[in-house]
Amino acid sequence: DAGVIQSPRHEVTEMGQEVTLRCKPISGHDYLFWYRQTMMRGLELLIYFNNNVPIDDSGMPEDRFSAKMPNASFSTLKIQPSEPRDSAVYFCASSLGERNTEAFFGQGTRLTVV
Amino acid sequence: AQSVTQPDIHITVSEGASLELRCNYSYGATPYLFWYVQSPGQGLQLLLKYFSGDTLVQGIKGFEAEFKRSQSSFNLRKPSVHWSDAAEYFCAVLDTDTGFQKLVFGTGTRLLVSP
């Protein structure tokens, strides 16, 4: 398996534009996580899914953020409209979901909103 | 809520010297603890984890960590650092209050390796 695949690796967009980040988890993993990494706040869990169903979205900063998982092999994180303070590295991770297994991370998407 | 604290933002170690990165956790019961490493421009990779049993845990790349309940610590160690170990290291705890799936990360420690 190629691991967790995220696209794009880098995204530069203007304030007010819609941004869509994509993630393909490892095949067979039941859980998918979206994290955001910034200098100020470190690594924060935004939302996670179990079997394509959102379980905990308490970390989503505001209504401008939305995430979907239409099937077991694909998830999106959308920001609409984007703002400069959304600039960060966004990571997707997946796991088998049992408490003693690790979360595998993608390489991240570096988002810059100008 | 469960949390971890990494008191050191940066650490510089000479190549070949030993390394210890500190992590303190906040939780009354036995926590589920992890150490991850992040190389520049990369995602996070698991080094090791502790759930129960032997308090000295061996991981990949020659790393180990020791769980000390009396000190609420889970420090990461390596006897001899290589230049390729330069990276950012994150301690994390599984938030068992929310269904065992939520990893809460520390702020990270950036390791610099000098020649």
Side-chain angles (χ1 to χ4, degrees), chain A residues 15-33:
Chain A
M15 182 174 62
Q17 296 298 305
E18 176 182 297
V19 176
T20 300
L21 311 181
R22 296 173 175 80
C23 175
K24 181 181 187 308
I26 293 173
S27 177
H29 282 191
D30 296 328
Y31 284 80
L32 183 139
F33 308 84

Side-chain angles (χ1 to χ4, degrees), chain A residues 11-81:
Chain A
E11 176 80 39
V12 180
T13 190
E14 291 185 346
M15 182 174 62
Q17 296 298 305
E18 176 182 297
V19 176
T20 300
L21 311 181
R22 296 173 175 80
C23 175
K24 181 181 187 308
I26 293 173
S27 177
H29 282 191
D30 296 328
Y31 284 80
L32 183 139
F33 308 84
W34 282 101
Y35 284 87
R36 178 172 68 175
Q37 185 178 36
T38 61
M39 290 292 293
M40 293 300 297
R41 301 175 66 89
L43 271 160
E44 307 171 274
L45 177 65
L46 300 178
I47 184 171
Y48 77 89
F49 295 82
N50 178 24
N51 292 324
N52 313 337
V53 176
I55 302 301
D56 183 350
D57 65 356
S58 60
M60 296 285 262
E62 47 195 280
D63 292 345
R64 298 184 297 106
F65 285 69
S66 62
K68 295 182 179 179
M69 192 166 186
N71 57 63
S73 60
F74 184 67
S75 176
T76 60
L77 178 67
K78 186 177 293 187
I79 308 173
Q80 166 65 20

Side-chain angles (χ1 to χ4, degrees), chain A residues 9 31 33 35 37 39 42-45 48 56 58-59 89 91 95 97-108 110, chain B residues 32 34 36 38 40-47 49 51 88 90 94 96 98-108 110:
Chain A
R9 289 294 310 278
Y31 284 80
F33 308 84
Y35 284 87
Q37 185 178 36
M39 290 292 293
L43 271 160
E44 307 171 274
L45 177 65
Y48 77 89
D56 183 350
S58 60
V89 181
F91 287 103
S95 77
E98 297 172 12
R99 67 183 69 176
N100 61 347
T101 61
E102 66 181 280
F104 291 81
F105 283 75
Q107 292 190 303
R110 180 174 294 278
Chain B
Y32 295 76
F34 305 77
Y36 280 83
Q38 183 181 24
Q42 302 297 314
L44 280 74
Q45 181 184 23
L46 181 71
L47 288 174
K49 59 191 176 187
F51 295 116
E88 187 143 22
F90 293 92
L94 201 61
T96 53
T98 58
F100 288 98
Q101 296 308 324
K102 196 169 182 175
L103 269 176
V104 178
F105 286 88
T107 50
R110 184 170 297 279

